[in-house]
Amino acid sequence: MTERAGRAEQSVLDALAAVLGAVPPVGTGWTDGLWDLYEVYEESRSGRGQPPDLTAGQSARFAAQWRRQELSGEAAGLVRELRERAERARLVAPAAAAGVAVRLVRAGLAAHEAVNLLSGLGVPHGERGLLELARDRGVGEGDRLWARERLFALRREGYRARGLLAVDGEEPLLPAAARALPTAAGGALAVPVDAVRARAALEALLPSAPLSAPEPPPEWTAGWDGLDDRDEYRPDWLEVRLLVRELMPTAREVTRERMAGAERECVLLGLDGGEGDFAALWTTRLAAWLAGEVFDALSRDPDPSALAPWSMDLAEQYVRRGMAAEDAHAFLCRTADEVPYSRLVLLRLTTETSQASASLDRPQ
């Protein structure tokens, strides 16, 4: 590495430090109406419209925000230079580059590019910076999620390697009948599933009483901006699921020791593992997903009448107890055309649900 290249890199780091020193504060009290007015202000600054009438306070706030955007664009270009140097293995001071990237994310400047730089730096400097950001609740939620996503990608191979380790001597948390189910590549349930094994697994996984909250949680959906219909970012449990499934790819690897390791990793990544005992919650959750896979496999049986009545009775119990309820209900619906008993169970469940709703609506 030439001295000239080192000086060029330092000049980029110095320029980024100058940007960080010049950035105005974010400010508080922004509202939807204020952002709408700021869009008009932006258009006027870009020569696409007339300037709006602003108070002195609004003018100062908008000018500061405009300056932030200018500096963020400048920072993004400088960060890309560092990233290109890192990709060519020509970065002289990766620790310094990582430190500046972390500061940029915390300042809300070129945060996406800065996280990408940390990801490109890899272990140890980039990973260390991403770990800092993933646990920093002061960082914007969208930026923190992106940092954690890139961190997970860096650590994923390590998780998979740990998931492939033998479980000799570890304490299993799922019943033997569930562990006996055959799996395909990637840990998914092998189909078609043997009816005898499926029945044994479903009977073993069924909770003894209704769950306090349905498991697993409903699947989360988001719009183009990464927010759901309540304007919230993806919940932590989605990322915990990815982690748990890498560390415990099949029912055989669901052990107390690996659950403890998953819980420690969640703390490291700044993830909320959920309320209550981590191992108990996630064992139930994994059991629910597995039961759902079994019901899905059974629903594809070419002769569903051969599964009556035991599979329909079990599906009814799963619905009543709030575990894999959607999959159990879907199984009943899929088999209803050919199996009268499925229709009977569905009618029973629907009638009871209607009666319960009517009871709640009735004046006390």
Side-chain angles (χ1 to χ4, degrees), residues 191-324:
V191 291
V193 64
D194 175 73
V196 174
R197 286 188 173 186
R199 181 175 183 174
L202 288 173
E203 289 174 343
L205 291 168
L206 182 66
S208 59
L211 300 178
S212 59
E215 290 293 354
E219 284 299 324
W220 181 81
T221 56
W224 63 270
D225 55 358
L227 298 170
D228 65 11
D229 54 6
R230 294 180 297 175
D231 288 334
E232 294 180 0
Y233 285 100
R234 66 176 182 263
D236 281 8
W237 73 261
L238 287 173
E239 293 178 84
V240 181
R241 177 175 66 177
L242 289 175
L243 170 65
V244 166
R245 285 183 164 176
E246 293 289 4
L247 293 173
M248 294 168 267
T250 75
R252 290 183 293 276
E253 286 84 37
V254 181
T255 67
R256 189 166 302 281
E257 291 79 2
R258 297 193 187 204
M259 277 293 179
E263 185 173 13
R264 289 192 296 271
E265 192 70 16
C266 285
V267 173
L268 190 66
L269 298 178
L271 286 168
D272 180 2
E275 295 183 6
D277 181 77
F278 182 92
L281 170 63
W282 282 93
T283 299
T284 299
R285 201 159 276 182
L286 288 170
W289 276 309
L290 180 56
E293 287 187 65
V294 175
F295 277 121
D296 182 68
L298 290 176
S299 72
R300 302 174 195 281
D301 192 294
D303 183 19
S305 61
L307 305 174
W310 64 266
S311 61
M312 294 77 194
D313 286 335
L314 279 169
E316 181 178 11
Q317 290 304 310
Y318 270 87
V319 171
R320 292 180 184 280
R321 298 184 193 185
M323 184 169 178

Side-chain angles (χ1 to χ4, degrees), residues 5-16:
R7 288 199 301 270
E9 179 182 318
Q10 187 58 51
S11 70
V12 174
L13 292 171
D14 290 343
L16 285 169

Side-chain angles (χ1 to χ4, degrees), residues 15-346:
L16 285 169
V19 167
L20 284 163
V23 64
V26 176
T28 58
W30 285 91
T31 63
D32 289 343
L34 207 54
W35 279 118
D36 291 342
L37 185 59
Y38 180 71
E39 287 184 14
V40 178
Y41 172 85
E42 281 187 302
E43 290 180 356
S44 68
R45 288 291 299 259
S46 302
R48 299 193 303 272
Q50 296 297 316
D53 293 328
L54 303 174
T55 67
Q58 288 173 336
S59 294
R61 176 190 285 264
F62 288 179
Q65 179 63 23
W66 180 268
R67 180 58 177 152
R68 280 186 64 85
Q69 290 178 199
E70 288 182 323
L71 291 171
S72 189
E74 183 181 338
L78 293 166
V79 170
R80 280 193 290 269
E81 287 188 47
L82 291 178
R83 190 178 175 197
E84 289 169 4
R85 296 180 69 85
E87 289 172 350
R88 297 196 301 267
R90 295 177 57 194
L91 208 57
V92 177
V100 168
V102 169
R103 290 177 62 198
L104 286 168
V105 176
R106 284 178 169 150
L109 292 179
H112 195 88
E113 289 289 345
V115 168
N116 288 342
L117 170 60
L118 290 168
S119 177
L121 290 174
V123 180
H125 305 293
E127 182 185 44
R128 192 176 299 134
L130 290 171
L131 280 167
E132 284 185 41
L133 296 172
R135 296 192 298 265
D136 189 346
R137 297 287 171 174
V139 171
E141 191 167 4
D143 296 333
R144 186 161 49 84
L145 288 173
W146 179 236
R148 200 158 60 213
E149 188 172 315
R150 301 318 305 153
L151 176 61
F152 192 92
L154 277 180
R155 299 171 73 86
R156 191 167 204 157
E157 287 305 312
Y159 299 150
R160 287 179 175 172
R162 286 153 65 183
L164 293 174
L165 294 176
V167 295
D168 298 340
E170 297 182 16
E171 179 187 349
L173 294 177
L174 290 177
R179 304 197 304 274
L181 288 170
T183 55
L189 180 68
V191 291
V193 64
D194 175 73
V196 174
R197 286 188 173 186
R199 181 175 183 174
L202 288 173
E203 289 174 343
L205 291 168
L206 182 66
S208 59
L211 300 178
S212 59
E215 290 293 354
E219 284 299 324
W220 181 81
T221 56
W224 63 270
D225 55 358
L227 298 170
D228 65 11
D229 54 6
R230 294 180 297 175
D231 288 334
E232 294 180 0
Y233 285 100
R234 66 176 182 263
D236 281 8
W237 73 261
L238 287 173
E239 293 178 84
V240 181
R241 177 175 66 177
L242 289 175
L243 170 65
V244 166
R245 285 183 164 176
E246 293 289 4
L247 293 173
M248 294 168 267
T250 75
R252 290 183 293 276
E253 286 84 37
V254 181
T255 67
R256 189 166 302 281
E257 291 79 2
R258 297 193 187 204
M259 277 293 179
E263 185 173 13
R264 289 192 296 271
E265 192 70 16
C266 285
V267 173
L268 190 66
L269 298 178
L271 286 168
D272 180 2
E275 295 183 6
D277 181 77
F278 182 92
L281 170 63
W282 282 93
T283 299
T284 299
R285 201 159 276 182
L286 288 170
W289 276 309
L290 180 56
E293 287 187 65
V294 175
F295 277 121
D296 182 68
L298 290 176
S299 72
R300 302 174 195 281
D301 192 294
D303 183 19
S305 61
L307 305 174
W310 64 266
S311 61
M312 294 77 194
D313 286 335
L314 279 169
E316 181 178 11
Q317 290 304 310
Y318 270 87
V319 171
R320 292 180 184 280
R321 298 184 193 185
M323 184 169 178
E326 287 189 14
D327 294 290
H329 192 271
F331 164 75
L332 292 168
C333 292
R334 285 180 180 177
T335 56
D337 287 343
E338 298 182 50
V339 185
Y341 193 63
S342 290
R343 296 196 293 273
L344 177 63
V345 173
L346 283 170

